[in-house]
Amino acid sequence: EKEQEMNHQLLTRAECKAMRGLAIIGIFMHNYCHWLNPVVKENEYQYFQSNTNWFRQVLSAPDELLPMHLLSFFGHYGVPVFLFLSAYGLVMKYETSADGQSLQRDRSGLESVFSFMQHHYKKLFKMMILGFVAFTMIDLMTPHSHHYEASDIVAMLGMFNNLLPRPDAIIWPGPYWFFGLMLQLYLVFRLFIARRHWSWTVGLMVICVALQFCFGPESEELNRYRYNFMGGMLPFGLGILYARYGRPMDLKTHAALFVGSVFMIFWFSMSFIGWTFVPVFICMATVSLVKLFSMRPFQHINKALVWTGGISAALFVCHPITRKIFIPLSRQGDYYAGFLLYIVTSVCLAWAFREIIKRIPIK
């Protein structure tokens, strides 16, 4: 049965979970490392040439913090992997029948726009609210708590905080910007992509990428632009196209794609133009790596990634809590002691959060 599933699907459920596992490992480790002053900073919403030069410098003269440098600089690319998987899942759910036939021209079965958005908002809210409530209490009980405005709280709960000015100053905890991004992409999918011709998806990808080049690499305008769906349209659209038109490949091809993608990730990260397209190679490398991990020598790694993928949603919402508690230890100079405590505690707390989230009714 497992072999039959692998033959009929581009990505099996286990492979999707493994990809989520890789993505959340990158995200939650990045969100710790990049808060440490000696560690290289990333280019996520804006492109800073100084950060790229700093990264080149640490590669040419590695120190004991090299793993943290790599996680800080590249870990945030777990977000494009989640967007890719979300798009892939939407196509599988709304555009493929039980017998695997395409429903692209049949618009029956899709809920109304309001019902569709209401359903997906509830799913996101169910995931977010537990972490948000726990974080705000911990935040106010620990030093350097965030100053909340009433409007910021309403925007967070309504998941439209990405639209407000200075999003990185008002979205707290910072990783929760993802919920607003996903809600926007759900709306884009329902209005412009679901069961429509491929040109709609490609057109949106081209327009969003082209408009990005209208802003300065370090500008606040680019920052706001990339906080919203336009900044995630490239990997999201790639997931749509892969689900519809992708074809299975053998392991040798995946090995070549992985090596080539890793090379392109490093090379393209060195310039503003290239940096824009890095998410494409991140998604390609992740798909190929998961396929390679299905080989017998890597089965233990694969099982660990699948398990981590199973707690990825809970780990995403709870890791800001443990970061706030343990990062002072690393800032005092015990970099890896604080980091290891953060990892262990985050994973254990995520397991507990997952059990609680499962018991929250979506209605």
Side-chain angles (χ1 to χ4, degrees):
E1 184 179 349
K2 186 176 180 181
E3 290 181 0
Q4 187 177 9
E5 182 186 11
M6 292 180 69
N7 289 333
H8 286 82
Q9 293 186 21
L10 288 169
L11 292 171
T12 66
R13 291 182 181 180
E15 287 168 346
C16 287
K17 279 189 175 182
M19 287 182 68
R20 284 196 291 271
L22 282 170
I24 196 60
I25 288 170
I27 290 170
F28 100 97
M29 290 188 177
H30 156 81
N31 281 332
Y32 188 93
C33 295
H34 81 141
W35 278 88
L36 302 174
N37 288 333
V39 175
V40 168
K41 303 301 177 281
E42 76 286 355
N43 292 324
E44 185 170 4
Y45 313 106
Q46 298 149 286
Y47 179 83
F48 295 95
Q49 189 62 47
S50 58
N51 289 347
T52 302
N53 295 339
W54 187 4
F55 181 65
R56 281 176 171 171
Q57 183 182 348
V58 300
L59 287 182
S60 62
D63 57 19
E64 69 278 4
L65 295 180
L66 181 61
M68 287 189 166
H69 293 311
L70 291 169
L71 287 166
S72 176
F73 196 75
F74 290 115
H76 65 92
Y77 285 117
V79 171
V81 175
F82 274 126
L83 299 183
F84 176 91
L85 285 171
S86 296
Y88 180 87
L90 286 169
V91 172
M92 292 295 104
K93 181 176 181 179
Y94 293 105
E95 297 187 4
T96 308
S97 62
D99 58 359
Q101 298 301 309
S102 173
L103 296 175
Q104 194 167 335
R105 296 184 179 180
D106 178 15
R107 300 200 61 79
S108 63
L110 271 177
E111 304 164 283
S112 68
V113 175
F114 178 80
S115 298
F116 181 87
M117 293 306 297
Q118 183 184 51
H119 171 72
H120 286 284
Y121 171 82
K122 287 178 179 179
K123 284 177 61 178
L124 292 172
F125 187 83
K126 171 184 173 179
M127 188 194 315
M128 180 192 76
I129 190 61
L130 182 64
F132 182 69
V133 169
F135 175 82
T136 52
M137 291 190 293
I138 294 295
D139 187 40
L140 289 170
M141 289 188 290
T142 51
H144 311 294
S145 60
H146 182 72
H147 175 70
Y148 291 92
E149 298 284 349
S151 59
D152 300 342
I153 299 170
V154 172
M156 173 68 79
L157 298 179
M159 300 181 200
F160 57 87
N161 43 11
N162 304 49
L163 301 171
L164 301 180
R166 300 181 302 111
D168 39 9
I170 64 171
I171 299 176
W172 193 246
Y176 283 23
W177 74 281
F178 181 78
F179 294 107
L181 172 69
M182 276 310 308
L183 197 66
Q184 292 180 21
L185 286 169
Y186 283 134
L187 182 60
V188 170
F189 174 81
R190 180 61 184 84
L191 291 178
F192 304 111
I193 294 177
R195 302 180 188 173
R196 292 184 184 271
H197 191 265
W198 60 265
S199 58
W200 285 82
T201 303
V202 173
L204 281 169
M205 294 166 70
V206 170
I207 291 169
C208 290
V209 170
L211 288 176
Q212 182 169 305
F213 293 131
C214 298
F215 306 110
E218 301 182 12
S219 66
E220 177 60 23
E221 291 79 12
L222 179 63
N223 187 45
R224 286 194 68 185
Y225 185 83
R226 286 176 60 86
Y227 256 98
N228 292 283
F229 81 89
M230 300 84 73
M233 194 61 228
L234 187 60
F236 188 79
L238 188 65
I240 298 289
L241 297 175
Y242 182 73
R244 289 180 182 172
Y245 309 111
R247 294 291 181 270
M249 293 178 286
D250 58 37
L251 290 177
K252 288 183 179 179
T253 305
H254 278 297
L257 277 175
F258 175 72
V259 173
S261 296
V262 170
F263 174 78
M264 298 299 280
I265 288 165
F266 276 86
W267 181 31
F268 275 39
S269 294
M270 298 299 119
S271 68
F272 174 56
I273 300 295
W275 165 77
T276 304
F277 299 99
V278 168
V280 172
F281 299 104
I282 289 287
C283 295
M284 290 171 58
T286 306
V287 170
S288 293
L289 185 59
V290 164
K291 293 290 185 182
L292 294 172
F293 278 156
S294 65
M295 298 170 63
R296 189 176 297 275
F298 307 110
Q299 282 184 350
H300 293 297
I301 297 175
N302 189 57
K303 286 181 180 179
L305 288 175
V306 170
W307 185 85
T308 307
I311 63 166
S312 60
L315 185 53
F316 181 82
V317 299
C318 79
H319 79 268
I321 302 168
T322 49
R323 180 185 65 187
K324 188 75 191 293
I325 295 171
F326 289 108
I327 203 163
L329 183 60
S330 290
R331 284 176 169 168
Q332 292 166 8
D334 296 320
Y335 295 110
Y336 285 106
F339 190 39
L340 287 173
L341 286 172
Y342 163 75
I343 292 171
V344 172
T345 310
S346 296
V347 170
C348 291
L349 187 62
W351 178 84
F353 266 48
R354 182 187 63 171
E355 297 305 306
I356 297 172
I357 291 172
K358 287 194 300 188
R359 287 163 173 77
I360 300 176
I362 199 167
K363 293 183 179 180

